[in-house]
Amino acid sequence: MELDYHAELRGLTVRRPQLKLLQDVPFPDWVADNWETVKNFQARPDDLLIATYPKSGTTWMQEIVDLFNQNGDVKMCKRAPVYERIPFLEFFPDKGPPGVELIEKMASPRVIKTHLPIQLVPKSFWEQDCKTIVVTRNAKDNLVSYFHFHLMDKEMPEPGNWPEFFEKFLHGQVSWGSWYDHVKGWWEAQDKHRILFLFYEDMKENPRREILKVAEFMEKVLEEDVIEKIVHHSSFEVMKDNPMTNYTTFPMNILDHNISRFMRKGEVGDWKNHFTVSQNEDFDEHYARQMVHSSLKFRNVL
Ligand code: PPS
């Protein structure tokens, strides 16, 4: 699907952004430079937020939620690319409509994507008591996926090579900051806000079970055949071949699928193909220190 601004984006010489801090959290400059607009965003009570650390299953959840909202009508879910159907709150492309603008034009009930850590979510979401679905992914696979995404997405800061990116991720010197702070922040907010907290690994293990949790949270009662359809159409195999979910509609000079596909592998445990033995030891030690006081437990993905 060719959108008006795609042609303009295609004509651009793409510039990798710098990282800029917002309340000590690093962001691509296009988030930091537009912060007032995001901060002042006005949520509505029936807005549903999908909040994730980047590369932890956002697009997967976006498709599941849209399938629910369309009662499993696959054709309706192909009406536009996923990034138009469920816009990204803090996204400000060099050309084309910012996420906030797309959201403001949407009819309620709106579904909104964000990668913001809990402390930076615009306060109107909490004043309106909005619901949030949080998806998290084990740190090792999240890191590997994030590295590959940096390689292919020119809207992300220069990643450096794998060992360099590995160190930056560990120390939270990447866009949207520390994975540890992000997941712990959302975990701890569960007693304050209406949050459904899910794990990518659980979704892989038993998508139907996790999809039913989403249905309950969204207060959706659907026939069994619709649930089955949602499970099928949100599977990695189907989503990777669907142009409306696999980001191939986005201009290639920005998202270069020849370097790495957006729907890359969709697996649990891919970190083993990338971590050296010594990186793994360093990672485990660092992880234990970061997570020692948290009740948030990820499964060991061996
Ligand atoms: S983003 O850019 O932050 O919105 O990316 P996000 O969607 O959070 O993460 C992309 C990774 O999720 C994988 N993915 C899936 N895995 C399993 N099933 C489904 N349906 C699915 N959809 C997307 C995608 O392949 C990326 O992970 P990697 O490990 O890189 O393959």
Side-chain angles (χ1 to χ4, degrees):
M1 167 177 279
E2 179 70 1
L3 298 160
D4 293 349
Y5 62 92
H6 280 174
E8 287 184 273
L9 280 173
R10 220 168 258 126
L12 284 183
T13 310
V14 188
R15 161 200 75 93
R16 291 262 186 187
Q18 299 295 313
L19 282 179
K20 277 194 181 173
L21 294 179
L22 277 173
Q23 293 180 30
D24 293 330
V25 182
F27 286 93
D29 52 24
W30 42 261
V31 178
D33 292 345
N34 293 288
W35 184 242
E36 284 304 300
T37 308
V38 178
K39 192 176 149 195
N40 295 323
F41 176 77
Q42 286 308 303
R44 301 177 192 157
D46 53 0
D47 285 344
L48 173 66
L49 196 59
I50 297 176
T52 56
Y53 190 78
K55 313 322 284 182
S56 53
T58 327
T59 316
W60 191 1
M61 186 51 64
Q62 286 173 278
E63 191 63 6
I64 291 169
V65 166
D66 196 39
L67 280 158
F68 269 119
N69 280 341
Q70 306 307 325
N71 293 316
D73 184 336
V74 174
K75 231 168 135 192
M76 274 302 287
C77 291
K78 291 188 174 167
R79 68 195 181 281
V82 63
Y83 50 85
E84 294 263 325
R85 286 180 276 141
I86 300 182
F88 181 12
L89 179 65
E90 64 270 27
F91 186 49
F92 290 84
D94 278 349
K95 290 270 179 232
V100 169
E101 214 172 90
L102 293 173
I103 298 164
E104 281 167 353
K105 283 191 191 138
M106 282 164 77
S108 290
R110 308 180 296 188
V111 186
I112 299 166
K113 158 185 166 175
T114 187
H115 291 317
L116 291 173
I118 178 95
Q119 72 276 18
L120 286 168
V121 170
K123 66 178 188 322
S124 64
F125 281 98
W126 310 134
E127 287 164 356
Q128 300 291 348
D129 196 22
C130 296
K131 288 185 183 179
T132 307
I133 300 176
V134 175
V135 187
T136 56
R137 185 177 194 182
N138 79 84
K140 292 179 182 177
D141 286 335
N142 210 145
L143 159 55
V144 168
S145 181
Y146 210 9
F147 175 63
H148 286 90
F149 184 62
H150 275 74
L151 297 178
M152 64 94 69
D153 184 4
K154 309 293 166 42
E155 289 159 322
M156 298 298 282
E158 199 62 62
N161 61 25
W162 165 244
E164 286 164 351
F165 190 80
F166 182 92
E167 286 301 319
K168 286 193 251 187
F169 182 92
L170 244 61
H171 299 104
Q173 291 156 2
V174 290
S175 301
W176 287 276
S178 154
W179 176 92
Y180 304 95
D181 293 347
H182 204 284
V183 297
K184 285 190 287 187
W186 279 104
W187 177 251
E188 284 154 20
Q190 283 180 95
D191 53 1
K192 290 188 226 65
H193 305 298
R194 298 197 290 166
I195 291 174
L196 175 67
F197 195 100
L198 298 175
F199 296 90
Y200 181 99
E201 294 71 29
D202 291 348
M203 290 167 66
K204 282 295 287 188
E205 181 182 74
N206 190 337
R208 188 175 190 280
R209 180 189 63 208
E210 302 306 304
I211 282 172
L212 288 177
K213 288 183 192 169
V214 176
E216 194 185 341
F217 187 67
M218 291 177 70
E219 296 167 59
K220 295 273 182 199
V221 183
L222 298 177
E223 298 295 326
E224 182 52 37
D225 60 325
V226 177
I227 301 282
E228 278 311 309
K229 226 186 201 182
I230 293 175
V231 172
H232 176 71
H233 284 281
S234 62
S235 69
F236 181 80
E237 293 311 316
V238 174
M239 281 180 61
K240 85 172 171 19
D241 293 332
N242 175 0
M244 294 301 146
T245 52
N246 67 15
Y247 277 83
T248 53
T249 54
F250 211 80
M252 272 277 279
N253 56 328
I254 296 175
L255 286 189
D256 191 344
H257 295 258
N258 291 326
I259 297 176
S260 179
R261 277 164 301 136
F262 183 91
M263 302 288 291
R264 193 182 58 91
K265 282 195 178 174
E267 288 172 2
V268 175
D270 184 42
W271 67 270
K272 283 173 285 182
N273 298 315
H274 299 276
F275 281 42
T276 64
V277 172
S278 119
Q279 277 176 335
N280 194 33
E281 285 167 5
D282 292 350
F283 194 97
D284 284 346
E285 201 184 298
H286 183 263
Y287 188 94
R289 269 187 275 121
Q290 294 288 321
M291 299 299 276
V292 63
H293 297 302
S294 179
S295 59
L296 171 57
K297 304 289 174 214
F298 283 81
R299 58 170 92 181
N300 216 357
V301 284
L302 298 173

